[in-house]
Amino acid sequence: MDSWSAINISFNLIREESFNHGFNSYYRKIRTIFLNSIFETTIEKLPDKVILHIFSYLSHLEICRMAMVCRRWRTIAYDTKLWKNVSLRPEVSGLHVGSLEQLLQMISVRFSASLRYIELPIELITHTVLHELASKCPNLTHMLLDFSTAMQLHDFSEMQAFPAKLRYMCICLSEVIFMEGFMRKIYNFINGLEVLHLIGTYEKGEEEEEEIYEVINVHKLKSATPNLRVINLYGINFIDDSHIDAFSSNCIQLECLAVNYCSKVTGSTLKPLLARSKQLKCLLMNGTDLKSEYVMQAEWDKCSVQELDISGTDLSTECLIDLLTRIPSLRFISAGQINGFNDSVLKAWAESGNPKTLVALDIDSSDNISDEALGRFITRYGAQLQACVLSGMTHITDQLWMTILPILVNVKIIVMGTTERLIGNIHVDQLMDTIGSSCPALERLELRWDPENLRFSDKSQKAIDMLRVKCLKLRCLVLSDGRYYETVKANFERADRTTVVRTTTSCRVSAYHVLSNYNDLIFN
């Protein structure tokens, strides 16, 4: 073990003991004294591998700034080990490249064989760039191509090469650009794809009714990608049941299918999908136009589906009971914003279904479920839950949470509260204290209540300390912006945990983190 490994281990042990006993200032003093003794000499004395390791924690924009310090740092900053995952989209915190010539030089000198993942905006997607990536970056396996802002494509008629080892590809579609000319050139190179994302323009939220174009030929695409395990079709206005049927007819290894916010999907091809895709475990259909009769026709009792998202649909109570009582081993259910989800659904599921395998429950904004029914269900099954999302309901207050939190001993994700103003108030000190003492495995927590409804005392620091010291795995705590948010943020910052506390305006907690294919589903 080298000296730096020993130093890191020592720091971690001191830090853990300090946090456990509340001696945060003690840890900081020891760390400061120790580092001062090391850096009495100048930073130039550090070996290159140590500076390289430090640079690995920086963004590429910051690394480029470091390269301007001196010749030695420039050499280290351009080490190919620092350029394995590269985003060239400045609008999403990526690196700005001024010209194609500059990018071609970077590919040759800086990226080379180390490059594994790259994001390209429309202006940099040319046949020359793609040829260079195919030639100089043999280990490139993940690629994102952003056509979303395109008004016209470059000329790909001369394109003869494309990265051939891709396992993951994400294409951000344009509303008006037809992709077939480009796709026809790459079909022979992408048969090894395992994860495919096609991202539509749902989030633009245009209200005007415009003509809908099928800008990419899904039926041809499915023939070129027989090895897909994960398919994510997000917010695409032309995707319908026929496209789902096309993929299921050719992708026999399909494990996860997501069609969130594809409003033309009705579920008419669910039955053949489940019959063909024997390995399908994850099915995400949030915001689709599912019809109850089609869902009830599917043979759920014979399928392998374990993770299901049907939020924001209009399924009936009868359909929900039929669905939940027939799926053999459901571990994840997201069924928020459904008027038909009520007490009778929970009761039938508990009596005739199999909730014993459930680890994630998301019923956001399900106003027709009473707190009594929820209390009974979670009292029975709460100990097995890793994610519990009971947000968006005015009748679910801190009283129910105080009852069920001691049961949620294994929970990693909690979302509570509503943005609507309440008549009563939420006593957040007691709530935080109970979370800290009951949920040691907690990683993500969101409180959506309006700041005006949160009541806390001068002794609230003690409750926040309890949460921070007991929930050492907590990496994300989201609160509405206000006085209590500032209090909690300052408490965590004093303990050198500066990235934990965030606001609801910039961050939202989701139960999706417990999905088996979560890492494959991340895009953009």
Side-chain angles (χ1 to χ4, degrees):
M1 181 184 299
D2 59 49
S3 58
W4 280 98
S5 299
I7 290 170
N8 286 330
I9 291 173
S10 300
F11 276 163
N12 289 335
L13 291 174
I14 293 171
R15 187 175 205 172
E16 183 176 351
E17 288 299 314
S18 301
F19 284 166
N20 288 340
H21 294 88
F23 301 145
N24 301 318
S25 60
Y26 171 73
Y27 161 74
R28 289 197 297 270
K29 287 178 181 178
I30 290 180
R31 185 175 181 271
T32 301
I33 293 171
F34 194 81
L35 289 177
N36 284 342
S37 66
I38 292 175
F39 290 110
E40 286 178 356
T41 56
T42 62
I43 197 169
E44 282 80 7
K45 299 294 184 181
L46 291 176
D48 288 357
K49 66 178 182 180
V50 174
I51 298 179
L52 181 67
H53 184 69
I54 294 171
F55 281 10
S56 69
Y57 291 94
L58 304 178
S59 69
H60 285 126
L61 181 60
E62 292 168 324
I63 290 174
C64 289
R65 289 171 180 165
M66 294 301 103
M68 300 171 67
V69 172
C70 63
R71 185 176 299 174
R72 181 189 176 209
W73 281 26
R74 180 183 178 85
T75 302
I76 297 172
Y78 291 163
D79 190 304
T80 57
K81 295 184 182 68
L82 297 174
W83 299 86
K84 293 180 180 180
N85 303 295
V86 179
S87 172
L88 301 179
R89 297 191 297 161
E91 69 276 8
V92 286
S93 303
L95 193 64
H96 174 71
V97 176
S99 66
L100 288 174
E101 291 73 20
Q102 183 183 358
L103 175 57
L104 294 175
Q105 183 179 14
M106 291 172 66
I107 293 172
S108 179
V109 178
R110 207 176 303 179
F111 300 167
S112 64
S114 293
L115 187 66
R116 300 290 190 278
Y117 173 89
I118 191 168
E119 297 181 2
L120 294 173
I122 176 60
E123 60 270 18
L124 299 179
I125 306 174
T126 68
H127 73 274
T128 307
V129 170
L130 296 173
H131 282 179
E132 197 73 0
L133 287 171
S135 171
K136 301 293 177 59
C137 304
N139 296 311
L140 181 61
T141 57
H142 292 61
M143 175 179 283
L144 183 149
L145 302 175
D146 188 354
F147 295 96
S148 61
T149 59
M151 296 307 294
Q152 65 179 22
L153 289 180
H154 292 283
D155 182 10
F156 293 100
S157 59
E158 297 182 9
M159 189 168 77
Q160 303 297 329
F162 190 80
K165 292 186 178 180
L166 292 182
R167 294 291 176 267
Y168 169 109
M169 185 166 70
C170 178
I171 299 178
C172 300
L173 302 176
S174 166
E175 289 183 315
V176 296
I177 299 300
F178 292 90
M179 301 287 298
E180 191 53 33
F182 169 75
M183 297 301 296
R184 194 181 303 115
K185 292 290 185 177
I186 71 171
Y187 284 145
N188 292 333
F189 300 97
I190 60 174
N191 58 6
L193 277 184
E194 296 179 7
V195 179
L196 173 66
H197 294 264
L198 297 180
I199 310 303
T201 55
Y202 166 81
E203 292 182 340
K204 290 186 177 181
E206 294 187 359
E207 296 182 359
E208 298 181 3
E209 289 290 336
E210 297 183 358
E211 187 175 354
I212 296 175
Y213 300 102
E214 189 167 340
V215 298
I216 193 167
N217 192 321
V218 172
H219 296 277
K220 290 184 179 179
L221 177 61
K222 61 98 177 180
S223 299
T225 54
N227 297 307
L228 289 177
R229 293 185 300 102
V230 177
I231 301 173
N232 179 25
L233 312 175
Y234 180 89
I236 306 177
N237 52 14
F238 65 81
I239 288 293
D240 58 26
D241 299 281
S242 68
H243 299 108
I244 296 176
D245 188 59
F247 275 120
S248 67
S249 67
N250 194 56
C251 305
I252 60 174
Q253 301 179 56
L254 191 60
E255 299 173 6
C256 175
L257 174 64
V259 289
N260 291 342
Y261 305 108
C262 294
S263 57
K264 287 191 172 184
V265 172
T266 64
S268 62
T269 57
L270 274 175
K271 186 173 182 179
L273 169 68
L274 298 181
R276 296 166 180 163
S277 305
K278 299 299 184 181
Q279 300 181 49
L280 185 65
K281 295 181 180 179
C282 180
L283 185 56
L284 309 178
M285 300 179 289
N286 188 346
T288 57
D289 190 27
L290 288 180
K291 305 299 183 185
S292 295
E293 59 268 28
Y294 294 146
V295 174
M296 294 174 70
Q297 289 172 7
E299 297 179 329
W300 297 101
D301 48 336
K302 299 179 182 179
C303 74
S304 300
V305 173
Q306 299 177 3
E307 300 166 342
L308 182 66
D309 186 352
I310 50 175
S311 295
T313 60
D314 291 324
L315 297 180
S316 66
T317 299
E318 179 188 8
C319 175
L320 291 168
I321 292 175
D322 177 77
L323 173 66
L324 294 177
T325 55
R326 282 204 289 152
I327 297 181
S329 56
L330 195 63
R331 67 179 299 273
F332 176 104
I333 179 67
S334 180
Q337 306 169 49
I338 302 180
N339 291 329
F341 204 117
N342 52 31
D343 292 3
S344 59
V345 175
L346 276 183
K347 182 180 179 182
W349 188 17
E351 293 177 352
S352 305
N354 185 28
K356 293 180 180 179
T357 58
L358 188 69
V359 298
L361 176 67
D362 180 352
I363 47 176
D364 172 73
S365 301
S366 296
D367 294 323
N368 293 327
I369 302 178
S370 67
D371 51 354
E372 293 85 1
L374 269 176
R376 288 193 298 269
F377 188 85
I378 294 179
T379 298
R380 186 172 178 181
Y381 301 106
Q384 67 199 43
L385 292 182
Q386 296 178 20
C388 185
V389 180
L390 307 180
S391 54
M393 296 175 277
T394 56
H395 61 288
I396 306 300
T397 63
D398 51 339
Q399 295 179 359
L400 176 64
W401 280 106
M402 292 297 294
T403 302
I404 64 176
L405 278 170
I407 302 170
L408 301 173
V409 292
N410 293 307
V411 73
K412 297 179 180 179
I413 299 170
I414 294 178
V415 182
M416 58 178 71
T418 176
T419 55
E420 297 180 45
R421 291 289 294 273
L422 304 178
I423 298 176
N425 292 316
I426 304 298
H427 299 281
V428 71
D429 287 349
Q430 190 177 5
L431 196 59
M432 287 292 199
D433 188 79
T434 305
I435 293 173
S437 58
S438 304
C439 309
L442 190 64
E443 297 178 4
R444 293 174 173 84
L445 171 64
E446 181 174 356
L447 277 65
R448 294 182 182 171
W449 283 297
D450 188 287
E452 296 300 320
N453 285 124
L454 299 181
R455 289 294 173 266
F456 55 98
S457 67
D458 295 335
K459 299 180 179 179
S460 62
Q461 292 290 349
K462 185 177 180 181
I464 301 170
D465 286 339
M466 170 69 80
L467 177 71
R468 175 173 49 75
V469 172
K470 293 294 184 181
C471 299
L472 293 176
K473 296 181 180 179
L474 187 65
R475 64 180 68 178
C476 180
L477 171 54
V478 182
L479 299 163
S480 297
D481 203 351
R483 284 179 55 229
Y484 189 68
Y485 162 77
E486 296 296 339
T487 301
V488 177
K489 183 175 178 63
N491 184 292
F492 274 79
E493 286 180 344
R494 284 194 296 271
D496 290 335
R497 299 176 70 180
T498 56
T499 62
V500 173
V501 184
R502 311 168 194 180
T503 68
T504 53
T505 56
S506 59
C507 184
R508 279 295 175 96
V509 172
S510 168
Y512 270 25
H513 291 279
V514 302
L515 289 175
S516 302
N517 295 100
Y518 174 73
N519 289 332
D520 291 326
L521 287 167
I522 298 174
F523 68 91
N524 222 19

